[in-house]
Amino acid sequence: METGRQEMTRWPTKPLGELVDFVGGGTPRRDRPDYWGGEIPWASVKDLQSQSLETTLETITAKGLANSASNLIPQGTVIIASRVGLGKVAINLKPVAINQDLKALTPRSSDLSPRYLLLFLLSKAEYLERTGVGATVKGLTLADYQKLDIVLPPLTQQERIVKLLDEADELRKLRAQADCRTTDLIPTLFNEIFGDPSINPQDFPISRIGELCEMSPNYGTMVPARADEGEWLSLRVANIQDGLIDLTDQKFVNLPVEMLERHTVKDGDLLLARAIGSKDHLGKCIVARPGNHKWAFDSHLMRIRLNRQRCEPVWLKTLLDTSGGRQLFLNNTRQSAVQFNINTKEFARIAVPLPPLTLQKEFAARVSEIRAMQAEQAASRRRLDDLFQSMLHRAFQGEL
């Protein structure tokens, strides 16, 4: 019996436009309050966060639906992004109305499984994103989707492919759930050892952050950074993601000798976002570990170089991440017309409960163990992602 690619070559390949009907959507008028806040879920690209669409950020009324280009899409329909978020796709778990940036795909016969269709579109996600056109917002036309060729095996084979891919995807979900629990370990550990810093339940002595520094906090360089040349990697707010350094987007700068002491980074320095448009991102920071690499930082970041005989960088960074520490920080910030700010004097005067250095070091050592575990989990997650993407590609090449 022939299997795999040999069998797939016998299965018909058809343009998607011959197999499904496309239904678009629209947005009720925003100046009509009676069109909004009703019982009908109304989906936009922002709601396509996973392969299942269960809830929406906004709802509309029956009157809003009737007086707009939106359409109510039956439960179990494949919904794709046709403008913004190209490659996103989901199946709705309840009837939803959709906006103009989404398209609903309804198979014309039972010979095409909606779940198989969704996985096929997921396999085309990178292609769709790459193919999208537009100066500021990338989009695809209905014709672009209609001409996509999809291999159409018998329904039993579609179900077999779906089962294999769903099993691989379930492994990814289980890994992600475990990773989320690990992420909570560090703040939980901090609270168990030190308690809420805004309450100071263990009655540690109070110190201002400026008193814990080896030198005064300072801003980074205003020398323009470039993507293609420069001796020093110039770190920016965008390089701080979820408390870790992200060097996906790199820019470089050349610094005069007289600027090196003030604008370069050593192991253990804290780099903190001190001027930014979002209050939620103000104060996000990392403990820098440049090693032998040459790191500088720009003027939207603040460098805090601590006296390591008094304060462990990992301890202070984690304190600032806790809800209580965050409140101590925000109490010293300001808002201008365009952004949220904290200057060096305001940061230096933040008063924090200071535990013994031995306790700080013990906490930092345990955090290091957790970080090592997180690194192992991240590697496992990448392997599972690679496995799923490989299987997704192979499934529609006749290799599963």
Side-chain angles (χ1 to χ4, degrees):
M1 179 178 177
E2 292 179 297
T3 58
R5 182 181 293 274
Q6 290 179 317
E7 187 171 295
M8 183 72 96
T9 59
R10 300 206 311 255
W11 296 334
T13 299
K14 295 186 177 182
L16 201 55
E18 294 183 10
L19 301 174
V20 303
D21 291 318
F22 291 79
V23 176
T27 302
R29 287 175 53 175
R30 291 286 185 180
D31 61 353
R32 291 291 301 266
D34 55 329
Y35 288 177
W36 295 91
E39 298 297 322
I40 302 172
W42 180 80
S44 68
V45 173
K46 290 183 290 187
D47 297 304
L48 301 188
Q49 298 300 317
S50 69
Q51 296 174 28
S52 297
L53 174 57
E54 186 169 7
T55 61
T56 59
L57 296 174
E58 296 183 275
T59 61
I60 61 175
T61 63
K63 193 173 181 180
L65 178 64
N67 289 277
S68 72
S70 187
N71 286 288
L72 190 63
I73 307 303
Q75 175 181 337
T77 303
V78 175
I79 298 173
I80 60 172
S82 60
R83 185 175 173 273
V84 186
L86 294 178
K88 289 188 173 183
V89 57
I91 292 178
N92 57 320
L93 302 185
K94 62 179 65 173
V96 297
I98 60 174
N99 81 347
Q100 62 277 7
D101 295 332
L102 302 179
K103 292 284 188 293
L105 284 62
T106 304
R108 293 174 183 167
S109 77
S110 59
D111 293 336
L112 177 59
S113 157
R115 183 70 186 158
Y116 178 83
L117 174 59
L118 177 141
L119 291 168
F120 165 74
L121 291 166
L122 272 183
S123 76
K124 294 292 184 182
E126 289 187 9
Y127 167 78
L128 295 172
E129 185 176 9
R130 190 170 62 248
T131 306
V133 296
T136 56
V137 177
K138 286 189 173 184
L140 289 170
T141 67
L142 184 58
D144 291 324
Y145 284 103
Q146 288 175 328
K147 67 184 181 184
L148 285 176
D149 287 331
I150 178 172
V151 176
L152 193 65
L155 198 57
T156 54
Q157 290 299 320
Q158 293 179 40
E159 292 170 349
R160 182 184 67 83
I161 290 170
V162 166
K163 182 175 183 294
L164 289 171
L165 290 173
D166 282 351
E167 288 173 350
D169 195 33
E170 184 62 24
L171 290 175
R172 295 199 307 164
K173 292 176 182 177
L174 291 173
R175 174 75 277 162
Q177 291 170 6
D179 292 352
C180 286
R181 288 193 289 270
T182 305
T183 300
D184 294 335
L185 286 177
I186 293 175
T188 299
L189 177 64
F190 185 97
N191 286 328
E192 286 180 355
I193 297 176
F194 307 109
D196 185 340
S198 65
I199 300 173
N200 191 18
Q202 300 199 43
D203 200 27
F204 293 127
I206 301 298
S207 293
R208 297 191 182 277
I209 291 180
E211 299 168 351
L212 305 177
C213 294
E214 181 181 300
M215 58 177 61
S216 297
N218 63 277
Y219 307 148
T221 178
M222 297 184 68
V223 176
R226 298 170 59 97
D228 54 354
E229 65 178 68
E231 183 180 6
W232 295 82
L233 174 65
S234 182
L235 298 178
R236 294 157 292 132
V237 172
N239 296 123
I240 300 176
Q241 300 291 337
D242 299 321
L244 300 172
I245 191 73
D246 181 350
L247 299 181
T248 304
D249 182 15
Q250 298 187 8
K251 290 190 176 181
F252 299 86
V253 66
N254 285 314
L255 295 177
V257 173
E258 62 271 19
M259 287 188 177
L260 295 183
E261 179 62 25
R262 186 171 179 79
H263 297 312
T264 57
V265 184
K266 294 182 180 179
D267 276 6
D269 286 347
L270 292 186
L271 294 179
L272 177 141
R274 62 98 186 172
I276 194 169
S278 167
K279 182 179 179 180
D280 290 339
H281 292 297
L282 181 70
K284 66 179 183 178
C285 70
I286 58 163
V287 179
R289 304 291 184 191
N292 294 324
H293 299 286
K294 292 185 174 182
W295 286 5
F297 60 106
D298 79 0
S299 60
H300 289 86
L301 293 176
M302 182 189 302
R303 184 188 69 186
I304 301 99
R305 184 166 293 167
L306 296 167
N307 177 350
R308 302 292 289 275
Q309 299 304 310
R310 299 201 63 197
C311 185
E312 268 292 317
V314 170
W315 171 82
L316 181 57
K317 184 249 189 256
T318 308
L319 180 146
L320 294 172
D321 287 341
T322 66
S323 58
R326 177 96 181 136
Q327 191 57 54
L328 294 176
F329 173 83
L330 292 175
N331 289 343
N332 291 273
T333 62
R334 294 168 289 110
Q335 181 180 1
S336 69
V338 295
Q339 62 185 3
F340 295 86
N341 299 270
I342 186 167
N343 63 33
T344 55
K345 291 182 180 179
E346 291 163 341
F347 183 78
R349 72 176 180 226
I350 296 174
V352 297
L354 186 68
L357 186 63
T358 52
L359 202 55
Q360 295 181 45
K361 288 182 176 294
E362 176 186 336
F363 171 75
R366 294 176 68 177
V367 168
S368 180
E369 294 172 357
I370 294 172
R371 291 296 189 197
M373 181 168 56
Q374 288 176 327
E376 292 177 2
Q377 290 177 336
S380 173
R381 188 167 63 250
R382 286 192 297 270
R383 288 193 296 270
L384 288 172
D385 286 343
D386 290 344
L387 172 64
F388 179 74
Q389 291 301 324
S390 173
M391 292 181 67
L392 197 61
H393 174 77
R394 291 168 56 202
F396 298 98
Q397 297 292 324
E399 297 175 4
L400 278 188

